[in-house]
Amino acid sequence: DAGVIQSPRHEVTEMGQEVTLRCKPISGHNSLFWYRQTMMRGLELLIYFNNNVPIDDSGMPEDRFSAKMPNASFSTLKIQPSEPRDSAVYFCASSLGGNTIYFGEGSWLTVV
Amino acid sequence: DAKTTQPTSMDCAEGRAANLPCNHSTISGNEYVYWYRQIHSQGPQYIIHGLKNNETNEMASLIITEDRKSSTLILPHATLRDTAVYYCIVRTQGAQKLVFGQGTRLTINP
């Protein structure tokens, strides 16, 4: 079975550019999570959705970050404008309700 | 969710059992113990979880003390591919999110 699919796997962009990260959750899962991982802060939860509705976005760092889930099989995390301090690995994960959460392989973002 | 305490790093010889401890002294009755690991450059991988009873699957065993204040993840025959950061997480029953700590960096030596 396909797991959580993220794209792009790697992105290098210039400061000020818009970045869009994409995620396809596991089919049938109704909860979706976006995490960010840096050396300094470890794995942080940015936002999660339940049945396509954002439930907790308290981890979103600032207004430059936005996330959407237009349907059950697709989500985006957008950074506009991007800054060098946004360089990190961004993970998408999904679950069926409160059951086990499964992670994608991550999107490695470098902002120069 | 209750906090967890894990050693920063551990070493284990290949072929031996790796025993990773976790302290969760403030755990509540409706909180599960979850273990994930993260191999370098990959996403976190689910290993096992439990509430009160010991659990075993194809990857590992989870031993939870009777008072539930601590647990041990056991990798019975560690291989070099088990080198990773292992996270012990306490999660409320029915809660949706996972909160990660710093984990234990386990190195399997040949």
Side-chain angles (χ1 to χ4, degrees):
Chain A
D1 288 339
V4 176
I5 299 172
Q6 293 187 243
S7 64
R9 287 297 315 276
H10 299 272
E11 174 140 354
V12 179
T13 191
E14 291 186 345
M15 183 174 61
Q17 295 297 306
E18 178 179 288
V19 174
T20 299
L21 307 178
R22 298 173 177 80
C23 176
K24 177 178 169 56
I26 293 172
S27 177
H29 284 189
N30 63 345
S31 295
L32 183 139
F33 308 81
W34 282 101
Y35 283 80
R36 178 174 68 175
Q37 186 171 33
T38 61
M39 288 291 291
M40 292 296 294
R41 300 174 68 91
L43 269 163
E44 305 173 279
L45 177 65
L46 299 178
I47 185 172
Y48 76 92
F49 296 81
N50 191 36
N51 295 322
N52 312 337
V53 176
I55 302 300
D56 182 354
D57 65 354
S58 59
M60 294 286 264
E62 48 198 274
D63 291 345
R64 297 184 298 106
F65 285 69
S66 63
K68 293 182 180 179
M69 191 164 186
N71 58 62
S73 59
F74 182 68
S75 176
T76 59
L77 178 67
K78 188 172 293 188
I79 309 172
Q80 167 63 19
S82 58
E83 297 182 3
R85 60 190 167 127
D86 302 329
S87 297
V89 186
Y90 291 82
F91 290 103
C92 179
S94 71
S95 71
L96 178 59
N99 293 319
T100 301
I101 297 175
Y102 295 93
F103 286 76
E105 290 304 304
S107 292
W108 295 66
L109 174 65
T110 302
V111 183
V112 298
Chain B
D1 296 332
K3 289 191 180 297
T4 62
T5 303
Q6 299 178 253
T8 303
S9 63
M10 293 182 62
D11 285 84
C12 180
E14 187 178 19
R16 305 297 289 267
N19 297 285
L20 292 93
C22 180
N23 186 295
H24 31 78
S25 58
T26 61
I27 193 169
S28 300
N30 65 343
E31 291 181 318
Y32 285 78
V33 180
Y34 276 77
W35 284 84
Y36 279 74
R37 73 179 182 183
Q38 189 173 21
I39 297 170
H40 183 61
S41 301
Q42 297 183 21
Q45 177 189 23
Y46 167 77
I47 301 173
I48 198 167
H49 74 280
L51 183 64
K52 290 190 291 189
N53 299 322
N54 298 337
E55 302 288 344
T56 296
N57 62 21
E58 65 279 4
M59 290 183 69
S61 294
L62 173 60
I63 308 299
I64 303 174
T65 58
E66 194 169 339
D67 64 6
R68 302 187 68 241
K69 293 185 177 182
S70 65
S71 60
T72 301
L73 179 74
I74 301 173
L75 308 177
H77 304 288
T79 70
L80 298 179
R81 288 176 294 181
D82 292 321
T83 292
V85 178
Y86 287 76
Y87 297 97
C88 170
I89 304 164
V90 169
R91 184 188 187 197
T92 302
Q93 185 177 18
Q96 295 185 293
K97 62 184 182 181
L98 281 174
V99 179
F100 286 81
Q102 294 305 307
T104 296
R105 183 171 298 278
L106 174 67
T107 302
I108 306 301
N109 300 305

